[in-house]
Amino acid sequence: MESTTVNFIEKWIMGHKCKMSASLCLVGAVMVLSACGSPEVESFVDAGLDTEFRRVINVEVSPIVTEPFIEEIRLTSVATANQDVMIEAEESGRVIELYADRGDEVRRGAAIVKIDDTILRTQVDQARAASNLATQTWERRKRLFEEDQVGSEIAYLEARTAAEESSATLAGLEERLARTLVRAPFSGVLDERHVDVGTMVGPGKTVGRIVDLNPIKVFAGVPERYAMDVRVGAGAQLKFEALGEGVYTSSIRYVGSTINPRSRTFSIEVEVPNPNGAIKPEMVSNMSITRQEVEDAIVVPQDALIRVERGYVAFVAVDRGQVEVAERRDLVLGPTRRNLVVVTDGLRPGERLIVMGQKSVADGDRVNVVGIGRGQDGR
């Protein structure tokens, strides 16, 4: 009878273990056989209820070490040309020659467009002749008046004034003649040309656009809460998604003195070498600025932390006798960078942080370490 009863209970439990836990199966079996009133059943139940049920959870851990940590401010920035100018004509006339086309590199002072100068050249010749006559007249009047005391002082002054006026007129016409050649104000690329041979232009008429792309300027708006952290000379890293995985390293050369009342940001400027012109104006980049550096920091992945009502906690695997259990730690966090965070209190170097399975454990649960990570940053 004893063996039959016990065997029945065991078979009943095995037949129902896929539907309920072992403890519930035991209770169900007791309910089924309680009508038997067998003392063997009662002793079996007492022995089963006294047996402590402990779960064991598989986890992966990572050793806690200290390392340098750089906190970053991440911003969205926009590239602009170092110089970007619309070139305008300063004289009237018909375009008679083009010296550069779209996409050509031009040097500072190089001619780009030639305006018909026929009329101005004639005026210059006339002014030069008048200036020569006025100068010679003045020289003779001066010699007669100063050396021979011949002539009046008024005639002397009139001759000097006429010479000066004619000389100034000639200089002005020669300057206008020179401006019939439209020249590049700086070295760069002729990005646009707005005229062709035969186009009539006048003062203020745009003839083209020149841009200087080396170096290139990158601007970003920094939230005002970082006003005390951003300084000229601070390191900056830029990544242009359109250009692939390359990272450009530079430093801040300008920090704005005012806050934009709409965006609550202040502007910063970074210069980046661009010898091949790969970075184009209006390209968007992700900028990272160094905010602070922490030496010997405990750095952990944010995914390993669990958010609770009062902050964050983590679990470490500790040895208790010959059993490994999960131990909960309340954390005080410091600066962050991407998926990493500095723990200023709650963890110690040398401990083993549970990085996988941490959401399934509770304080005191038995754990089985099935994997060991290489480091907090995944290296």
Side-chain angles (χ1 to χ4, degrees):
M1 178 62 182
E2 295 179 5
S3 60
T4 302
T5 303
V6 173
N7 289 338
F8 180 83
I9 293 175
E10 291 178 346
K11 291 180 180 180
W12 196 94
I13 292 174
M14 292 300 293
H16 292 77
K17 66 180 179 180
C18 61
K19 299 181 181 179
M20 59 185 70
S21 68
S23 299
L24 293 178
C25 288
L26 179 60
V27 174
V30 171
M31 293 176 62
V32 172
L33 299 175
S34 60
C36 299
S38 170
E40 293 83 2
V41 173
E42 293 178 1
S43 62
F44 179 84
V45 172
D46 291 339
L49 292 177
D50 289 340
T51 302
E52 182 182 6
F53 178 74
R54 305 280 294 188
R55 62 176 183 168
V56 179
I57 301 173
N58 293 334
V59 297
E60 182 176 325
V61 300
S62 180
I64 298 175
V65 297
T66 59
E67 60 185 68
F69 181 83
I70 299 177
E71 182 184 7
E72 299 174 340
I73 302 173
R74 306 193 70 186
L75 308 168
T76 299
S77 54
V78 179
T80 62
N82 184 41
Q83 297 182 86
D84 188 341
V85 173
M86 291 292 185
I87 309 171
E88 298 177 348
E90 297 180 87
E91 288 295 327
S92 300
R94 179 173 54 86
V95 174
I96 60 174
E97 194 167 356
L98 301 173
Y99 300 103
D101 203 353
R102 299 179 186 88
D104 290 347
E105 292 188 3
V106 294
R107 305 296 298 175
R108 179 180 179 180
I112 298 174
V113 173
K114 174 65 176 177
I115 301 173
D116 187 9
D117 61 357
T118 304
I119 296 176
L120 271 175
R121 192 173 294 280
T122 301
Q123 293 175 348
V124 167
D125 292 341
Q126 293 175 344
R128 184 176 292 111
S131 177
N132 290 336
L133 176 60
T135 300
Q136 292 177 10
T137 302
W138 154 244
E139 290 175 351
R140 291 184 180 183
R141 288 281 186 184
K142 179 181 178 182
R143 185 170 57 251
L144 290 171
F145 182 76
E146 293 180 353
E147 296 178 2
D148 302 332
Q149 302 297 316
V150 175
S152 65
E153 184 178 359
I154 294 298
Y156 169 83
L157 295 176
E158 287 177 346
R160 186 178 68 180
T161 301
E164 292 174 349
E165 287 181 348
S166 61
S167 177
T169 300
L170 174 61
L173 288 172
E174 287 177 338
E175 179 63 26
R176 290 185 59 188
L177 181 63
R179 293 186 181 186
T180 58
L181 271 177
V182 182
R183 299 180 182 275
F186 53 84
S187 300
V189 176
L190 184 64
D191 198 52
E192 299 175 11
R193 180 169 58 79
H194 299 162
V195 296
D196 291 305
V197 173
T199 302
M200 291 297 299
V201 298
K205 168 69 175 180
T206 301
V207 300
R209 177 188 182 189
I210 291 183
V211 293
D212 176 17
L213 302 180
N214 186 32
I216 202 158
K217 298 178 181 178
V218 183
F219 289 88
V222 183
E224 61 180 325
R225 64 180 179 273
Y226 298 122
M228 300 299 295
D229 303 316
V230 179
R231 295 286 183 271
V232 172
Q237 291 187 328
L238 300 97
K239 181 179 179 181
F240 294 85
E241 297 294 341
L243 302 181
E245 297 298 323
V247 177
Y248 295 81
T249 301
S250 185
S251 58
I252 300 174
R253 66 177 302 272
Y254 165 78
V255 176
S257 303
T258 60
I259 301 293
N260 186 314
R262 293 187 177 181
S263 63
R264 308 309 305 173
T265 62
F266 59 92
S267 61
I268 61 172
E269 176 189 327
V270 174
E271 273 191 358
V272 179
N274 189 34
N276 58 0
I279 305 175
K280 301 185 182 302
E282 304 306 323
M283 273 189 174
V284 177
S285 67
N286 296 318
M287 180 185 296
S288 299
I289 302 172
T290 301
R291 184 183 184 189
Q292 63 173 315
E293 298 184 14
V294 182
E295 297 292 337
D296 298 326
I298 294 178
V299 185
V300 302
Q302 292 187 8
D303 295 342
L305 310 184
I306 300 174
R307 187 175 183 87
V308 295
E309 183 177 355
R310 295 185 178 181
Y312 287 88
V313 300
F315 289 91
V316 295
V318 298
D319 292 328
R320 291 183 181 173
Q322 297 187 3
V323 178
E324 288 190 301
V325 300
E327 187 174 288
R328 169 175 162 156
R329 297 290 178 81
D330 295 320
L331 306 179
V332 178
L333 304 183
T336 63
R337 183 184 74 236
R338 298 182 178 89
N339 188 45
L340 301 177
V341 60
V342 173
V343 177
T344 59
D345 189 27
L347 297 176
R348 295 186 299 272
E351 294 183 318
R352 295 177 299 164
L353 177 69
I354 298 178
V355 294
M356 291 190 65
Q358 71 276 15
K359 296 182 180 180
S360 301
V361 301
D363 189 37
D365 279 349
R366 289 178 58 183
V367 294
N368 177 38
V369 177
V370 297
I372 300 177
R374 295 184 178 180
Q376 309 308 331
D377 59 359
R379 293 178 296 178

